[in-house]
């Protein structure tokens, strides 16, 4: 309802937001609701995007602000602000043998068919996972890749395999699958808000960024 109100808002400041659903869960909706209360006539456009699409969009000016994986390269003329760090969990079907476990090891995970996001669109996702598995000399069996959160969780729910997800993503589908703690998880994912450096004085954009900060703090 919040997102629909934002899309239907009347004429006013225009704010185009790129975001990754798996990271923005719990942050974006709260920030947009507060922002539209402060700017009821604002036109807010929400674009579910891959990391590369967000970077291209904010560089070209087709996006005003993005919520993405933090610690991006600073050479793009963008300013990034770290909001939170999301720990990892293993998503499994509720009927999966690992669903009854409170904690699993990476050695146990790699014996399962591994599902994940598309490597082309979400290279940083696989970067975190590959780095962790390399340290333990583990070689996963990648069964399938998906282009979005809904498709990935549907595949896990159907028992096609298991998937590494963040706690923010787990908030999107708390009852559909089981989220198990990893005994040796990859480093938490840094979630950041990014905008063009040359728009530091944009007051409307500054209001939205402040609402994003507040929303992220409320989830800490």
């Amino acid at each position: 309802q919040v997102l629909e109100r934002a899309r239907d808002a009347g004429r006013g400041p225009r704010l185009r937001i790129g975001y990754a659903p798996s990271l923005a869960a719990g942050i974006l909706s709260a920030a947009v609701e507060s922002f539209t209360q402060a700017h009821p006539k604002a036109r807010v456009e929400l674009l579910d995007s891959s990391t590369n699409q967000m970077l291209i969009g904010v560089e070209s000016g087709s996006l005003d602000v993005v919520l993405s994986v933090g610690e991006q390269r600073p050479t793009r003329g963008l300013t990034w602000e770290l909001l939170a760090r999301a720990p990892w969990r293993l998503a499994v079907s509720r009927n999966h043998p690992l669903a009854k476990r409170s904690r699993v090891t990476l050695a146990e995970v790699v014996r399962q068919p591994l599902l994940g996001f598309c490597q082309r669109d979400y290279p940083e996702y696989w970067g975190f996972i590959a780095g962790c598995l390399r340290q333990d000399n583990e070689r996963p069996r990648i069964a399938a890749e998906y282009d979005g959160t809904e498709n990935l969780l549907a595949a896990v729910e159907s028992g096609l395999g298991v998937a590494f997800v963040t706690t923010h993503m787990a908030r999107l589908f708390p009852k559909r699958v089981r989220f198990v703690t990893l005994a040796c998880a990859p480093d938490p994912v840094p979630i950041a808000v990014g905008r063009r450096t040359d728009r530091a004085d944009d007051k409307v954009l500054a209001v939205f960024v402040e609402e994003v900060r507040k929303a992220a703090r409320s989830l800490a």
Side-chain angles (χ1 to χ4, degrees):
Q1 291 175 338
V2 169
L3 302 186
E4 286 299 324
R5 282 205 307 272
R7 293 190 184 100
D8 296 337
R11 295 185 178 277
R14 185 185 185 193
L15 188 63
R16 298 159 299 177
I17 305 166
Y19 69 101
S22 59
L23 300 177
I27 296 177
L28 182 59
S29 58
V32 169
E33 180 175 23
S34 297
F35 174 79
T36 54
Q37 288 175 353
H39 294 276
K41 294 185 178 181
R43 292 178 295 158
V44 178
E45 299 175 12
L46 302 166
L47 297 144
D48 175 352
S49 311
S50 69
T51 300
N52 193 50
Q53 289 171 332
M54 281 188 269
L55 292 175
I56 292 173
V58 77
E59 285 179 332
S60 67
S62 62
L63 291 175
D64 300 306
V65 61
V66 296
L67 280 173
S68 182
V69 174
E71 299 178 354
Q72 302 287 350
R73 290 175 294 178
T75 56
R76 296 175 178 266
L78 307 179
T79 298
W80 291 93
E81 179 179 336
L82 183 66
L83 298 171
R85 292 187 182 274
W88 292 91
R89 296 289 184 268
L90 184 71
V92 302
S93 164
R94 301 187 74 83
N95 297 320
H96 195 283
L98 294 179
K100 298 178 181 179
R101 300 278 299 280
S102 60
R103 186 178 297 265
V104 297
T105 66
L106 291 177
E108 293 173 303
V109 173
V110 296
R111 290 198 288 267
Q112 306 294 326
L114 185 62
L115 311 176
F117 291 112
C118 176
Q119 295 187 52
R120 181 193 62 216
D121 294 331
Y122 301 93
E124 70 289 337
Y125 171 82
W126 288 103
F128 281 103
I129 295 169
C132 178
L133 295 176
R134 276 197 301 268
Q135 291 178 10
D136 285 58
N137 296 315
E138 302 289 359
R139 291 182 175 275
R141 176 161 57 96
I142 301 174
E145 299 177 14
Y146 299 89
D147 60 1
T149 302
E150 176 68 29
N151 293 336
L152 176 59
L153 266 294
V156 173
E157 185 179 27
S158 300
L160 299 181
V162 302
F164 287 94
V165 302
T166 66
T167 52
H168 282 63
M169 184 173 169
R171 290 189 181 101
L172 292 172
F173 304 98
K175 297 181 179 179
R176 287 181 54 176
V177 299
R178 177 89 165 85
F179 299 97
V180 185
T181 299
L182 291 157
C184 183
D187 291 336
V189 179
I191 302 171
V193 57
R195 52 180 165 165
R196 289 178 60 94
T197 304
D198 59 10
R199 296 193 60 185
D201 295 331
D202 187 315
K203 294 182 179 179
V204 172
L205 191 53
V207 170
F208 177 74
V209 171
E210 176 57 27
E211 295 303 338
V212 168
R213 291 191 195 106
K214 291 178 182 177
R217 286 197 297 267
S218 70
L219 293 177

